[in-house]
C-alpha cells in the first residue's frame, strides 16, 4: 500500500510511478522475507510479518548533481509490531531554507555524524557536491536473522571512513555497530535515532526505554554517551518531523556520543529475549571488527 512505501530522499507527494504500485511487503504477509537490491543499495527485511527494516548502502543520489537526495548514507528505518519505531523525519518544505538544511542533513537521519559535518557538501536547496562513495561489503540472510556491513567515505576531509554493521534478529534485537577508521579519533562523533512522536526515557544502569507498541518497552543499550548529559528527562533530543509534505510536527530523538577513547560505538535495541540475543551479538561484533580496515 502507499502507506508502506519507504520514505527515502525528498518526498513531496508527487508520483513518478502509479501511487498504488505495490513495491513493499504487505503489512500482514507472513515472514521471513529479506532481500537486498544491489543496484540501488537498499535492503528490505521483514522476519516476523509485523516488522520492516530498511538499510541504505547507497550513493547520495542521481549524478551529476544528486538532486533531491539526502545525506542519509548507512542510515536505517525500522517498524515493529506494525508501528514505526526509527523513522526518516521526511522533507517538510523546499522553500524554507533553514528547515531544508535540517531535513536533508546527516543529523536528520538515523546515521552517524562527525564534527557536525554532513556526508557531502550542500550546493543549494537540492544539489550536492563532493559526493561520497558508499559500498556494501557483506549481506547475510539466514532464517530468523539478517546481518549487513558497509562503509562510506563522506568524512574523507577528516581522513576518516565510516563503517556500519547491522544485525537484526526476529523479535529479539536490532544491533548497530559504528566504527571510524583513520586518524586518531578526536571526538564529536554522534549517532542519531529519530523517533517521531514516540516518547522515551532514561532508566537506571545506563539503559534507555522507548515506548513501544501495545504497552511494551524497547530497551536501548549503548557503549556510548547519552547526549545531552544534563538531560535525563524524557526525550533528550528535540527534532521536528514531517509526516507529509508541508506538515511539521514536534518530534523526539536520541543522540549518542562516541567515546573519545575508542573509534567504536555499539547500540542495541532489545525487542525480546536478551539472554538469547547476547551471544549472537557478541559473535557478530567479532565479524564486523575483523572486516573493517
Amino acid at each position: 500500500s502507499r502507506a508502506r512505501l519507504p520514505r527515502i530522499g525528498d518526498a513531496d507527494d508527487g508520483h513518478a510511478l502509479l501511487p498504488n504500485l505495490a513495491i513493499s511487503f504487505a503489512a500482514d504477509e507472513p515472514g521471513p522475507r529479506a532481500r537486498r537490491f544491489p543496484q540501488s543499495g537498499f535492503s528490505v527485511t521483514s522476519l516476523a510479518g509485523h516488522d520492516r527494516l530498511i538499510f541504505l548502502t547507497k550513493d547520495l543520489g542521481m549524478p551529476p548533481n544528486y538532486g533531491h537526495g539526502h545525506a542519509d548514507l548507512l542510515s536505517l528505518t525500522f517498524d515493529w509490531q506494525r508501528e514505526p519505531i526509527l523513522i526518516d523525519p521526511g522533507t517538510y518544505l523546499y522553500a524554507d531554507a533553514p528547515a531544508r538544511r535540517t531535513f536533508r542533513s546527516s543529523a536528520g537521519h538515523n546515521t552517524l555524524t562527525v564534527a557536525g559535518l554532513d556526508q557531502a557538501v550542500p550546493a543549494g536547496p537540492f544539489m550536492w557536491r563532493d559526493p561520497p562513495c558508499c559500498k556494501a561489503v557483506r549481506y547475510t540472510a539466514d532464517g530468523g536473522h539478517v546481518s549487513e556491513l558497509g562503509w562510506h567515505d563522506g568524512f574523507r576531509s577528516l581522513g576518516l571512513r565510516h563503517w556500519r554493521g547491522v544485525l537484526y534478529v526476529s523479535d529479539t534485537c536490532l544491533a548497530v555497530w559504528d566504527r571510524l577508521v583513520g586518524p586518531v579519533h578526536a571526538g564529536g562523533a554522534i549517532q542519531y535515532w529519530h523517533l517521531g512522536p514516540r516518547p522515551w526515557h532514561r532508566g537506571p544502569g545506563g539503559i534507555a526505554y522507548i515506548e513501544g507498541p501495545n504497552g511494551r518497552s524497547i530497551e536501548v543499550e549503548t557503549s556510548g554517551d547519552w547526549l545531552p548529559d544534563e538531560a535525563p528527562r524524557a526525550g533528550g533530543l528535540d527534532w521536528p518531523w514531517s509526516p507529509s509534505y508541508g506538515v511539521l510536527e514536534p518530534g523526539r530523538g536520541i543522540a549518542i556520543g562516541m567515546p573519545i577513547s575508542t573509534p567504536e560505538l555499539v547500540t542495541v535495541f532489545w525487542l525480546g529475549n536478551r539472554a538469547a540475543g547476547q551471544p549472537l551479538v557478541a559473535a557478530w561484533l567479532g565479524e564486523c571488527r575483523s572486516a573493517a580496515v
Side-chain angles (χ1 to χ4, degrees), residues 25 32-36 44-47 139-143 145-146:
F25 297 138
R33 303 177 313 284
R35 185 174 179 184
R36 184 171 185 277
V44 184
T45 302
S46 179
L47 298 180
Y139 174 83
T140 303
D142 182 15
H145 78 273
V146 168

Side-chain angles (χ1 to χ4, degrees), residues 111-114 119 155 162 164 178 180 189-191 258 265:
T111 190
L112 188 83
T113 67
V114 184
Q119 298 160 343
F155 305 124
H162 173 206
R164 168 165 280 191
D178 285 316
L180 295 173
I190 300 176
Q191 192 186 69
M258 181 180 287
L265 179 54

Side-chain angles (χ1 to χ4, degrees), residues 87-168:
I87 72 161
D88 184 317
T91 299
Y92 184 44
L93 286 174
Y94 294 152
D96 185 326
R100 184 73 175 139
R101 288 192 296 270
T102 294
F103 280 94
R104 288 208 305 162
S105 69
S106 295
H109 297 84
N110 298 318
T111 190
L112 188 83
T113 67
V114 184
L117 297 176
D118 287 324
Q119 298 160 343
V121 179
F126 293 97
M127 311 305 181
W128 298 89
R129 56 185 175 86
D130 298 332
C133 178
C134 186
K135 297 292 185 183
V137 174
R138 181 180 298 165
Y139 174 83
T140 303
D142 182 15
H145 78 273
V146 168
S147 64
E148 305 186 58
L149 182 66
W151 60 264
H152 75 79
D153 64 356
F155 305 124
R156 61 187 179 277
S157 64
L158 303 175
L160 297 173
R161 175 173 289 186
H162 173 206
W163 285 77
R164 168 165 280 191
V166 175
L167 172 70
Y168 177 43

Side-chain angles (χ1 to χ4, degrees), residues 239-266:
W239 196 281
W241 71 293
S242 178
S244 60
Y245 188 75
V247 177
L248 189 66
E249 300 284 351
R252 294 295 195 192
I254 299 173
I256 300 172
M258 181 180 287
I260 296 178
S261 60
T262 174
E264 180 180 273
L265 179 54
V266 181

Side-chain angles (χ1 to χ4, degrees), residues 1-12 21-25 37 40 42-44 52-56 72 76-79 87-88 90-91:
S1 70
R2 180 180 175 186
R4 294 283 293 172
L5 296 178
R7 303 178 66 192
I8 307 298
D10 279 341
D12 58 10
L21 183 64
I23 61 173
S24 61
F25 297 138
F37 301 89
S40 62
F42 292 80
S43 69
V44 184
R52 184 176 70 175
L53 170 68
I54 297 176
F55 183 48
L56 309 183
D72 57 0
L76 60 88
T77 61
F78 181 58
D79 296 354
I87 72 161
D88 184 317
T91 299

